[in-house]
């Protein structure tokens, strides 16, 4: 059986997708906590039901490459005769120049490696995933899909910081991320809501990482994430928007090094830091600790604030789409983020919202819940680029 494999290789996780040549989902896989003893793999078939896991040895998830081999062995036993004809990769950063998916080559790998300082916690792991796939499938074409690509058409005011111009020239810009998710939602709107797609839509991708994107007539016009995946909304362990004076304070007064600040910003802040309980929204929603409520309140307030800002940026609003683990499942967050936005024509129907219905709006502005699917965007791109 010929199939397209998609890989999303992170620092301690690996997400895989297996698709037929006709782009039907065959299987999805997720390995968590790579390199730790508690590492675990979940595999599911086309209908979401779990696929049997092979008996695993202690080293099976020691590295991303080992995790890839373990997951592939499981796919191979589930799909005898499996032949991977293309591999598509999620690459967090395409820099200034890469605005569309493209076939990976050694020179391109070198160029993408140079962007690692822009995304030190993601880019090297993404590229390590490409290396592992090249070693595993020598000669099989590999395609890069960039999380920044969807936003490359931003107007200058959404692309820049008010720093001396030389930094802009060096690439210190507002890139925006989660582009594969926005691409998917945009495609769903084109297919199922052609009128709304022509209008002004805010998409809130709320998962462990969270961002929002204003999309006008199918084009990203501004996004909450900027130079790095730290900007904008608070997230599971990242703070979102911060006064840069705080970083100066931490360096000068607390004597923190760059790596200590990096750890604070990427791993200790956000919902986890504020609540002191968990980075996981489900856990916070289930807690009666007042700090959990405060963390959720802050998260929802920042979303609401951005809805107002993005509506202003687009000169009005026709729709809001919630997606990502929290956006798709948390009625509380959706209701609280939209609460009080009646002046914009935004309302939420409590019963539809409680059921995670697709259409939850109760005002002039459409409010939709659409599950995202970044893997299918990568698979489509691989098929398209390679003309399969
Ligand atoms: P990732 O960015 O890692 O792909 P996800 O999109 O899976 O993350 O989102 C993970 C987040 O979604 C977690 O905070 C989790 O608690 C939250 N989530 C998942 N299901 C629910 C639910 N039923 N209610 C509230 N939050 C949920």
């Amino acid at each position: 059986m010929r199939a397209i494999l998609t890989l999303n290789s992170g620092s301690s996780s690996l997400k895989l997708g297996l698709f037929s040549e006709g782009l039907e989902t065959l299987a999805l896989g997720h390995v968590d906590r790579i390199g730790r003893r508690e590492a675990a793999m979940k595999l599911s078939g086309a209908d979401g039901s779990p696929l049997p896991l092979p008996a695993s040895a202690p080293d099976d998830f020691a590295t991303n490459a080992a995790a890839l081999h373990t997951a592939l062995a499981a796919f191979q036993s589930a799909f005898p005769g499996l032949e991977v004809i293309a591999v598509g990769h999620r690459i967090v950063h395409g820099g200034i120049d890469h605005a569309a998916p493209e076939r990976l080559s050694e020179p391109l790998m070198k160029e993408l490696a140079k962007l690692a300082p822009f995304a030190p916690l993601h880019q090297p792991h993404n590229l390590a995933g490409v290396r592992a796939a090249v070693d595993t499938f020598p000669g099989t074409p590999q395609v890069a899909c960039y999380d920044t690509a969807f936003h490359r058409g931003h107007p200058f005011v959404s692309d820049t910081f008010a720093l001396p111009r030389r930094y802009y020239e060096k690439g210190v810009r507002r890139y925006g991320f989660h582009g594969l998710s926005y691409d998917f939602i945009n495609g769903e709107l084109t297919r199922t809501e052609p009128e709304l797609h022509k209008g002004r839509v805010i998409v809130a991708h709320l998962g462990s990482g969270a961002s929002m994107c204003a999309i006008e007539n199918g084009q990203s016009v501004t996004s909450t994430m900027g130079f790095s995946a730290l900007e904008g909304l608070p997230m599971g362990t990242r703070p979102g928007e911060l006064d840069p004076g705080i970083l100066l304070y931490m360096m000068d007064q607390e004597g923190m090094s760059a790596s200590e600040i990096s750890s604070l910003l990427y791993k200790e802040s956000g919902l986890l830091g504020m609540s002191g309980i968990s980075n996981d929204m489900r856990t916070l929603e289930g807690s009666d600790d007042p700090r959990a409520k405060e963390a959720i309140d802050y998260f929802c307030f920042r979303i609401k604030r951005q809805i107002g800002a993005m509506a202003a940026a687009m000169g009005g609003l026709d729709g809001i789409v919630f997606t990502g683990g929290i956006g798709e499942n948390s009625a509380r967050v959706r209701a609280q983020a939209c609460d009080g936005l009646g002046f914009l024509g935004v309302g939420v129907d409590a019963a539809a919202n409680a059921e995670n219905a697709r259409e939850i709006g109760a005002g002039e502005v459409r409010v939709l819940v659409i599950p995202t699917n970044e893997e299918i965007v990568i698979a489509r791109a691989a098929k398209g680029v390679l003309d399969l």
Side-chain angles (χ1 to χ4, degrees):
M1 172 189 282
R2 287 156 60 87
I4 299 170
L5 177 70
T6 65
L7 293 181
N8 177 355
S9 182
S11 58
S12 62
S13 71
L14 177 69
K15 287 186 189 165
L16 306 98
L18 196 65
F19 297 86
S20 70
E21 281 182 284
L23 293 179
E24 278 142 24
T25 308
L26 301 173
L28 296 173
H30 192 168
V31 187
D32 254 336
R33 304 192 181 99
I34 291 172
R36 306 232 306 257
R37 253 191 300 147
E38 323 81 88
M41 177 166 74
K42 279 191 202 145
L43 298 177
S44 55
D47 59 358
S49 60
L51 286 181
L53 297 177
S56 58
D59 285 346
D60 282 355
F61 306 110
T63 62
N64 267 39
L68 173 61
H69 290 139
T70 307
L72 281 175
F75 282 161
Q76 261 144 1
S77 61
F79 302 97
L82 177 68
E83 185 197 347
V84 172
I85 55 167
V87 188
H89 297 269
R90 178 184 185 182
I91 306 286
V92 72
H93 222 301
I96 298 167
D97 298 323
H98 302 276
E102 57 195 332
R103 187 166 174 171
L104 279 152
S105 61
E106 277 303 321
L108 178 55
M109 285 287 284
K110 287 206 178 89
E111 207 186 311
L112 296 177
K114 285 191 195 139
L115 295 171
F118 286 180
L121 277 81
H122 296 95
Q123 192 85 340
H125 301 292
N126 300 161
L127 297 179
V130 177
R131 286 267 168 244
V134 169
D135 292 345
T136 311
F137 306 104
T140 302
Q142 318 262 337
V143 171
C145 301
Y146 306 107
D147 243 349
T148 46
F150 188 70
H151 309 290
R152 283 318 297 140
H154 276 179
F156 179 73
V157 288
S158 287
D159 193 39
T160 195
F161 295 95
L163 287 167
R165 194 73 178 214
R166 62 181 179 279
Y167 289 103
Y168 183 78
E169 307 305 340
K170 279 186 182 172
V172 179
R173 301 187 185 192
R174 292 182 193 272
Y175 290 96
F177 298 90
H178 289 138
L180 302 180
S181 178
Y182 295 127
D183 200 347
F184 177 79
I185 299 295
N186 197 36
E188 286 296 286
L189 293 180
T190 320
R191 198 171 58 79
T192 61
E193 306 281 351
E195 277 311 306
L196 180 59
H197 177 257
K198 286 188 209 134
R200 298 155 297 188
V201 179
I202 294 172
V203 183
H205 174 105
L206 311 176
S208 324
S211 72
M212 290 162 65
C213 181
I215 304 180
E216 205 170 341
N217 194 18
Q219 301 294 317
S220 169
V221 290
T222 195
S223 157
T224 59
M225 273 186 178
F227 175 68
S228 72
L230 287 172
E231 207 197 2
L233 300 179
M235 308 174 214
T237 58
R238 293 171 250 167
E241 193 181 328
L242 272 188
D243 176 344
I246 296 170
L247 305 184
L248 298 176
Y249 167 85
M250 287 181 172
M251 285 188 283
D252 288 344
Q253 304 302 320
E254 307 245 326
M256 289 175 75
S257 67
S259 73
E260 284 167 335
I261 293 179
S262 171
S263 168
L264 180 81
L265 298 181
Y266 278 98
K267 299 187 179 143
E268 299 161 40
S269 300
L271 297 175
L272 173 66
M274 273 191 294
S275 69
I277 297 169
S278 174
N279 62 337
D280 192 285
M281 184 57 82
R282 250 171 314 191
T283 308
L284 296 183
E285 287 191 0
S287 164
D288 49 19
D289 190 311
R291 294 172 307 163
K293 179 180 178 304
E294 282 171 357
I296 298 173
D297 287 350
Y298 181 79
F299 184 71
C300 296
F301 174 68
R302 302 307 295 194
I303 298 167
K304 187 204 304 264
R305 209 168 169 270
Q306 285 298 337
I307 292 174
M310 289 185 159
M314 294 190 288
L317 185 61
D318 301 301
I320 300 175
V321 179
F322 286 98
T323 193
I326 300 171
E328 292 162 28
N329 297 297
S330 174
R332 174 170 169 183
V333 167
R334 291 189 301 254
Q336 207 175 319
C338 293
D339 186 38
L341 295 181
F343 74 98
L344 275 178
V346 175
V348 166
D349 180 280
N353 189 36
E355 286 168 15
N356 295 327
R358 176 187 160 91
E359 185 100 40
I360 61 168
E364 294 144 48
V365 171
R366 306 276 306 278
V367 185
L368 303 171
V369 178
I370 304 181
T372 195
N373 187 344
E374 290 157 302
E375 283 69 31
I376 190 74
V377 174
I378 304 174
R380 279 181 200 149
K383 184 175 160 93
V385 167
L386 300 171
D387 208 9
L388 295 173

